[in-house]
Amino acid sequence: MAVTHLGSISFSSSMPSISSPSLKHPFNLNKNKPLIVAAMSDDPVREWILSEGKATQIKGISPIGGGCINRATRYDTDAGSFFVKTNRSIGPSMFEGEALGLNAMYETGSIRVPKPYKVGSLPTGGSYIIMEFIEFGASRGNQSALGRKLAEMHKAAKSEKGFGFHVDNTIGSTPQINTWMSDWVEFFAEHRLGYQLKMAREQYGDPTIYERGQRLARNLGPLFKNVVIEPCLLHGDLWSGNMTYDKNGEPVILDPACYYGHNEAEFGMSWCAGFGGDFYKAYFEVMPEQPGFEERRDLYMLYHYLNHYNLFGSGYRSSAMSIIDDYLRMLNV
């Protein structure tokens, strides 16, 4: 939901090992070198840059706009530039989930993503993440390259555990539940639609959208008839603010909400992503289009409309309600 960039990570002895209720195993971005939680200091970001970041001088610090949930900053040093994201109210588990997702995508060697370096707590509360700084070129570039490389990532990274992710993470600032399940339709109904519908009922006292949405969630099966569904690594929040191009014109994707799911779910934010014909043509050359793709497109958009409703208010309710009602009519339930 917000704009980002990321390099390698550490946590330290003044904090417990990184296992929190939302994390199912300790944070470990590098298989050969465990990630360590940052030791507390007055300025842990500066401390890391001037030690593990190999810099001896910070030449400049400048804010970067675009994010609506976190603060983004560029640090220019004699060892290169770093991208830093901070949040003054949320602990490190959110950034830990983001870093695990970035690292999973990075390891596919397909589409470019910023490499995460470090996640830690701020001494005054909140948390930060330090990552590789990528110099951007044009905000819009080769849609064919974007479609092809995204498909290559989906094709390269599959999970033997089923659908879900190693940790729960966030979609924007909303918790995203990633408990492993073997059935995609059940996973999407419970952990995507169901979770958002419950939030809407609790936050807004909205029984109508909850009841109709749950009726849809219980009857998704016919939309997946004759479809082969594999648990592909997804970025999870792919909209125009989370994708760009580097100085060489290569596509870059940022700020993920990763999990392993049906590849078509990646297009759920297409209503504000600007995917064109060239994008889909290149994508389907690598990952062939499945029967019923067009009928499922709005279903995957529904998850994100519900999330926007929960995050930003009633302006998104009518879009979510319209999709739910259309599917109830289509499925005759």
Side-chain angles (χ1 to χ4, degrees):
M1 310 228 43
V3 184
T4 323
H5 297 59
L6 288 204
S8 169
I9 301 186
S10 55
F11 297 108
S12 106
S13 57
S14 68
M15 293 185 68
S17 67
I18 308 181
S19 54
S20 69
S22 66
L23 296 179
K24 299 177 179 64
H25 57 67
F27 196 149
N28 186 355
L29 293 183
N30 186 318
K31 295 177 181 177
N32 300 315
K33 182 180 179 180
L35 188 66
I36 304 166
V37 181
M40 199 63 69
S41 72
D42 290 340
D43 190 342
V45 173
R46 178 183 293 269
E47 180 181 283
W48 184 90
I49 289 173
L50 295 174
S51 55
E52 294 179 62
K54 310 300 183 186
T56 61
Q57 179 185 5
I58 296 176
K59 298 179 177 181
I61 303 173
S62 53
I64 298 175
C68 57
I69 294 172
N70 305 301
R71 180 181 178 184
T73 307
R74 172 177 176 169
Y75 282 70
D76 293 309
T77 80
D78 58 351
S81 297
F82 299 90
F83 183 86
V84 178
K85 235 177 12 173
T86 57
N87 187 296
R88 296 290 175 177
S89 59
I90 300 177
S93 62
M94 179 178 71
F95 288 144
E96 289 163 5
E98 178 179 345
L100 283 169
L102 284 166
N103 197 63
M105 294 191 296
Y106 184 88
E107 288 186 343
T108 68
S110 52
I111 194 165
R112 188 173 186 188
V113 299
K115 183 173 175 59
Y117 296 130
K118 184 183 187 73
V119 171
S121 296
L122 293 169
T124 55
S127 55
Y128 67 91
I129 181 170
I130 305 173
M131 60 190 95
E132 172 190 7
F133 182 86
I134 297 176
E135 193 75 49
F136 293 159
S139 60
R140 290 191 172 273
N142 189 330
Q143 286 253 317
S144 294
L146 175 62
R148 183 181 68 256
K149 287 184 174 292
L150 185 65
E152 288 171 354
M153 184 183 83
H154 291 167
K155 188 173 183 178
K158 309 284 177 65
S159 172
E160 296 180 353
K161 294 183 177 180
F163 303 97
F165 199 54
H166 313 292
V167 300
D168 295 332
N169 49 26
T170 56
I171 179 79
S173 59
T174 306
Q176 183 168 257
I177 307 304
N178 293 319
T179 304
W180 295 104
M181 298 182 78
S182 60
D183 183 272
W184 167 249
V185 177
E186 184 180 352
F187 176 91
F188 188 75
E190 180 176 341
H191 293 325
R192 295 298 178 261
L193 298 185
Y195 188 87
Q196 294 284 347
L197 290 165
K198 289 174 185 174
M199 281 190 66
R201 182 182 62 179
E202 293 168 3
Q203 185 170 201
Y204 300 116
D206 192 340
T208 302
I209 199 168
Y210 175 79
E211 291 164 7
R212 293 184 190 177
Q214 287 288 13
R215 195 185 339 152
L216 171 60
R218 292 192 299 268
N219 291 278
L220 296 178
L223 295 171
F224 295 89
K225 186 177 180 181
N226 299 321
V227 179
V228 177
I229 305 175
E230 296 181 291
C232 302
L233 178 63
L234 307 182
H235 173 282
D237 191 16
L238 201 59
W239 65 291
S240 58
N242 288 346
M243 53 190 181
T244 187
Y245 295 82
D246 66 16
K247 292 190 299 182
N248 299 319
E250 290 296 312
V252 181
I253 57 177
L254 318 160
D255 225 9
C258 286
Y259 65 99
Y260 291 90
H262 187 200
N263 65 302
E264 293 175 11
E266 193 76 284
F267 310 133
M269 284 288 286
S270 59
W271 47 283
C272 56
F275 297 140
D278 290 343
F279 169 87
Y280 286 108
K281 182 176 183 293
Y283 181 89
F284 288 133
E285 285 175 356
V286 179
M287 292 285 288
E289 183 176 343
Q290 292 274 327
F293 168 71
E294 293 294 338
E295 292 181 349
R296 290 184 295 274
R297 289 181 72 158
D298 284 357
L299 179 68
Y300 290 131
M301 286 193 278
L302 175 59
Y303 171 55
H304 294 278
Y305 276 122
L306 286 169
N307 186 48
H308 277 62
Y309 176 33
N310 283 316
L311 283 174
F312 305 120
S314 60
Y316 293 93
R317 184 186 186 278
S318 61
S319 295
M321 199 72 247
S322 177
I323 292 174
I324 291 171
D325 287 341
D326 285 348
Y327 275 114
L328 293 177
R329 284 191 293 269
M330 178 195 303
L331 297 168
N332 194 28
V333 294

Coordinates of all heavy atoms in Angstrom, one line a residue, residues 234-276:
L234 N 3.8 -14.7 -4.2 CA 3.2 -13.5 -4.7 C 3.8 -12.2 -4.0 O 4.1 -12.3 -2.8 CB 1.7 -13.5 -4.4 CG 0.9 -14.7 -4.9 CD1 -0.6 -14.6 -4.5 CD2 1.1 -14.9 -6.4
H235 N 3.8 -11.1 -4.7 CA 4.2 -9.9 -4.1 C 3.1 -9.5 -3.1 O 3.3 -9.1 -2.0 CB 4.3 -8.8 -5.1 CG 4.5 -7.4 -4.6 ND1 3.5 -6.6 -4.1 CD2 5.6 -6.6 -4.4 CE1 3.9 -5.5 -3.7 NE2 5.2 -5.4 -3.9
G236 N 1.8 -9.6 -3.5 CA 0.7 -9.5 -2.6 C 0.0 -8.1 -2.6 O -1.1 -8.0 -2.1
D237 N 0.7 -7.1 -3.0 CA 0.1 -5.7 -2.9 C 0.6 -4.9 -4.1 O 1.2 -3.8 -3.9 CB 0.5 -5.1 -1.6 CG -0.3 -3.8 -1.3 OD1 -1.3 -3.5 -2.0 OD2 0.1 -3.0 -0.4
L238 N 0.4 -5.4 -5.3 CA 1.0 -4.8 -6.5 C 0.1 -3.8 -7.1 O -0.7 -4.1 -7.9 CB 1.4 -6.0 -7.5 CG 2.5 -5.7 -8.5 CD1 3.8 -5.3 -7.8 CD2 2.7 -6.9 -9.4
W239 N 0.4 -2.5 -6.8 CA -0.3 -1.4 -7.4 C 0.8 -0.4 -7.9 O 2.0 -0.6 -7.7 CB -1.2 -0.7 -6.4 CG -0.6 -0.1 -5.2 CD1 0.0 -0.7 -4.2 CD2 -0.5 1.3 -5.0 NE1 0.5 0.2 -3.3 CE2 0.2 1.5 -3.7 CE3 -0.9 2.5 -5.6 CZ2 0.4 2.7 -3.2 CZ3 -0.7 3.7 -5.1 CH2 0.0 3.8 -3.9
S240 N 0.4 0.6 -8.6 CA 1.3 1.5 -9.3 C 2.3 2.1 -8.3 O 3.5 2.4 -8.7 CB 0.5 2.6 -10.0 OG -0.2 3.4 -9.1
G241 N 2.0 2.4 -7.0 CA 2.9 2.9 -6.1 C 4.0 2.0 -5.6 O 5.0 2.4 -5.0
N242 N 3.8 0.7 -5.9 CA 4.8 -0.4 -5.5 C 5.5 -1.0 -6.6 O 6.1 -2.0 -6.5 CB 4.0 -1.5 -4.7 CG 3.6 -1.0 -3.3 OD1 4.0 0.0 -2.9 ND2 2.7 -1.8 -2.7
M243 N 5.5 -0.4 -7.8 CA 6.3 -0.8 -8.9 C 6.8 0.3 -9.7 O 6.1 1.4 -9.8 CB 5.5 -1.8 -9.8 CG 4.2 -1.3 -10.3 SD 3.2 -2.6 -11.1 CE 1.8 -1.7 -11.5
T244 N 8.0 0.2 -10.2 CA 8.7 1.3 -10.9 C 9.8 0.6 -11.8 O 9.8 -0.6 -12.0 CB 9.2 2.3 -10.0 OG1 9.7 3.4 -10.7 CG2 10.3 1.8 -9.1
Y245 N 10.7 1.4 -12.3 CA 11.8 1.0 -13.1 C 13.1 1.6 -12.7 O 13.1 2.7 -12.2 CB 11.5 1.3 -14.6 CG 10.3 0.6 -15.1 CD1 9.0 1.1 -14.9 CD2 10.4 -0.6 -15.8 CE1 7.9 0.4 -15.3 CE2 9.3 -1.3 -16.3 CZ 8.0 -0.8 -16.0 OH 6.9 -1.4 -16.4
D246 N 14.2 0.8 -12.7 CA 15.5 1.4 -12.4 C 16.1 2.2 -13.5 O 15.4 2.4 -14.5 CB 16.4 0.3 -11.9 CG 16.8 -0.7 -13.0 OD1 16.7 -0.4 -14.2 OD2 17.3 -1.8 -12.6
K247 N 17.3 2.7 -13.3 CA 17.9 3.6 -14.3 C 18.1 2.9 -15.6 O 18.3 3.5 -16.7 CB 19.3 4.1 -13.8 CG 19.2 5.1 -12.6 CD 20.5 5.7 -12.3 CE 21.5 4.6 -11.9 NZ 22.8 5.3 -11.6
N248 N 18.2 1.6 -15.6 CA 18.4 0.8 -16.9 C 17.1 0.4 -17.5 O 17.1 -0.4 -18.5 CB 19.3 -0.4 -16.6 CG 20.7 -0.1 -16.1 OD1 21.3 0.9 -16.5 ND2 21.1 -0.8 -15.1
G249 N 16.0 0.8 -16.9 CA 14.7 0.4 -17.5 C 14.2 -0.9 -17.0 O 13.1 -1.4 -17.6
E250 N 14.8 -1.5 -16.1 CA 14.4 -2.8 -15.6 C 13.3 -2.6 -14.5 O 13.4 -1.8 -13.6 CB 15.5 -3.6 -15.0 CG 16.5 -4.1 -16.0 CD 15.9 -5.1 -17.0 OE1 15.2 -6.0 -16.5 OE2 16.1 -4.9 -18.2
P251 N 12.2 -3.4 -14.5 CA 11.1 -3.3 -13.6 C 11.6 -3.6 -12.1 O 12.4 -4.5 -11.9 CB 10.1 -4.2 -14.0 CG 10.8 -5.2 -14.9 CD 11.9 -4.5 -15.5
V252 N 11.1 -2.9 -11.2 CA 11.4 -3.0 -9.8 C 10.1 -3.1 -9.0 O 9.2 -2.3 -9.3 CB 12.2 -1.9 -9.2 CG1 12.6 -2.1 -7.7 CG2 13.5 -1.7 -10.0
I253 N 9.9 -4.0 -8.1 CA 8.7 -4.1 -7.3 C 9.1 -3.9 -5.8 O 10.1 -4.4 -5.4 CB 7.8 -5.3 -7.5 CG1 8.6 -6.6 -7.3 CG2 7.2 -5.3 -8.9 CD1 7.8 -7.9 -7.5
L254 N 8.3 -3.3 -5.0 CA 8.6 -2.8 -3.7 C 7.4 -3.1 -2.7 O 6.3 -3.5 -3.1 CB 8.8 -1.3 -3.7 CG 9.6 -0.7 -4.8 CD1 9.3 0.8 -4.9 CD2 11.1 -0.9 -4.6
D255 N 7.7 -2.9 -1.4 CA 6.7 -2.9 -0.4 C 5.7 -4.1 -0.4 O 4.5 -3.9 -0.5 CB 5.9 -1.6 -0.5 CG 5.7 -0.9 0.8 OD1 6.3 -1.3 1.8 OD2 5.0 0.1 0.8
P256 N 6.2 -5.3 -0.3 CA 5.3 -6.4 -0.5 C 4.5 -6.8 0.7 O 4.8 -6.4 1.8 CB 6.3 -7.6 -0.8 CG 7.5 -7.2 0.0 CD 7.6 -5.7 -0.1
A257 N 3.5 -7.7 0.4 CA 2.7 -8.4 1.4 C 2.7 -9.8 1.0 O 1.7 -10.4 0.7 CB 1.3 -7.8 1.5
C258 N 3.9 -10.4 1.0 CA 4.1 -11.7 0.3 C 3.4 -12.9 1.0 O 3.2 -12.9 2.2 CB 5.6 -12.1 0.3 SG 6.6 -11.1 -0.9
Y259 N 3.0 -13.8 0.2 CA 2.5 -15.1 0.6 C 2.5 -16.0 -0.6 O 2.7 -15.5 -1.8 CB 1.1 -15.1 1.2 CG 0.0 -14.6 0.3 CD1 -0.9 -15.5 -0.2 CD2 -0.2 -13.3 0.1 CE1 -1.9 -15.1 -1.1 CE2 -1.3 -12.9 -0.7 CZ -2.1 -13.8 -1.3 OH -3.2 -13.4 -2.1
Y260 N 2.3 -17.3 -0.4 CA 2.2 -18.3 -1.5 C 0.7 -18.5 -1.8 O 0.0 -18.9 -0.9 CB 2.9 -19.6 -1.2 CG 4.4 -19.5 -1.1 CD1 5.0 -19.1 0.1 CD2 5.2 -19.6 -2.2 CE1 6.4 -19.0 0.2 CE2 6.6 -19.5 -2.2 CZ 7.2 -19.2 -1.0 OH 8.5 -19.1 -0.9
G261 N 0.3 -18.2 -3.0 CA -1.1 -18.3 -3.4 C -1.3 -18.5 -4.9 O -0.3 -18.6 -5.7
H262 N -2.5 -18.5 -5.3 CA -2.9 -18.6 -6.7 C -2.3 -17.4 -7.5 O -2.5 -16.2 -7.0 CB -4.4 -18.6 -6.8 CG -4.9 -18.9 -8.2 ND1 -6.2 -18.5 -8.6 CD2 -4.3 -19.4 -9.3 CE1 -6.4 -18.9 -9.9 NE2 -5.3 -19.4 -10.3
N263 N -1.6 -17.6 -8.5 CA -0.9 -16.5 -9.2 C -1.9 -15.4 -9.6 O -1.5 -14.2 -9.7 CB -0.2 -17.0 -10.4 CG -1.1 -17.6 -11.5 OD1 -1.8 -18.6 -11.3 ND2 -1.0 -17.1 -12.7
E264 N -3.1 -15.7 -10.0 CA -4.1 -14.7 -10.4 C -4.4 -13.7 -9.3 O -4.8 -12.5 -9.6 CB -5.4 -15.3 -10.9 CG -5.3 -16.2 -12.1 CD -6.6 -16.9 -12.5 OE1 -7.6 -16.6 -11.9 OE2 -6.5 -17.8 -13.4
A265 N -4.2 -14.1 -8.0 CA -4.5 -13.1 -6.9 C -3.5 -11.9 -7.0 O -3.8 -10.9 -6.4 CB -4.3 -13.9 -5.6
E266 N -2.4 -12.1 -7.7 CA -1.5 -11.0 -7.8 C -2.1 -9.8 -8.5 O -1.6 -8.6 -8.4 CB -0.2 -11.5 -8.6 CG 1.0 -10.5 -8.6 CD 1.7 -10.6 -7.3 OE1 1.2 -10.1 -6.2 OE2 2.8 -11.2 -7.2
F267 N -3.1 -10.0 -9.3 CA -3.7 -8.9 -10.1 C -4.9 -8.2 -9.3 O -5.6 -7.5 -9.9 CB -4.2 -9.4 -11.4 CG -3.2 -10.2 -12.2 CD1 -3.5 -11.5 -12.8 CD2 -1.9 -9.8 -12.3 CE1 -2.6 -12.2 -13.4 CE2 -1.0 -10.5 -13.0 CZ -1.3 -11.8 -13.6
G268 N -5.0 -8.5 -8.0 CA -6.1 -8.0 -7.3 C -6.1 -6.5 -7.1 O -7.2 -5.9 -6.8
M269 N -5.0 -5.9 -7.3 CA -4.9 -4.4 -7.2 C -4.8 -3.8 -8.6 O -4.5 -2.6 -8.8 CB -3.7 -4.0 -6.4 CG -3.8 -4.2 -4.9 SD -5.0 -3.0 -4.2 CE -3.9 -1.5 -4.2
S270 N -5.3 -4.5 -9.6 CA -5.2 -4.0 -11.0 C -6.0 -2.8 -11.2 O -5.7 -2.0 -12.2 CB -5.6 -5.1 -12.0 OG -6.9 -5.6 -11.7
W271 N -7.0 -2.5 -10.4 CA -7.8 -1.3 -10.5 C -7.0 0.0 -10.3 O -7.4 1.1 -10.6 CB -9.0 -1.4 -9.6 CG -8.8 -1.8 -8.2 CD1 -8.6 -3.1 -7.7 CD2 -8.7 -0.9 -7.0 NE1 -8.4 -3.1 -6.4 CE2 -8.5 -1.8 -5.9 CE3 -8.8 0.4 -6.8 CZ2 -8.3 -1.3 -4.6 CZ3 -8.7 0.9 -5.5 CH2 -8.5 0.1 -4.5
C272 N -5.8 -0.2 -9.7 CA -5.0 1.0 -9.5 C -3.5 0.7 -9.8 O -2.6 1.2 -9.2 CB -5.1 1.7 -8.2 SG -4.8 0.6 -6.8
A273 N -3.3 -0.3 -10.8 CA -2.0 -0.7 -11.1 C -1.6 -0.3 -12.6 O -0.4 -0.2 -12.9 CB -1.8 -2.2 -11.0
G274 N -2.5 -0.1 -13.4 CA -2.2 0.3 -14.8 C -1.7 -0.8 -15.7 O -1.0 -0.5 -16.6
F275 N -2.0 -2.1 -15.4 CA -1.6 -3.2 -16.2 C -2.3 -3.0 -17.6 O -3.5 -2.9 -17.7 CB -1.9 -4.5 -15.6 CG -1.3 -4.8 -14.3 CD1 -1.9 -5.4 -13.3 CD2 0.1 -4.5 -14.1 CE1 -1.3 -5.7 -12.1 CE2 0.7 -4.7 -12.9 CZ 0.0 -5.3 -11.9
G276 N -1.5 -3.1 -18.7 CA -2.1 -3.0 -20.0 C -2.0 -4.3 -20.7 O -1.6 -5.4 -20.2

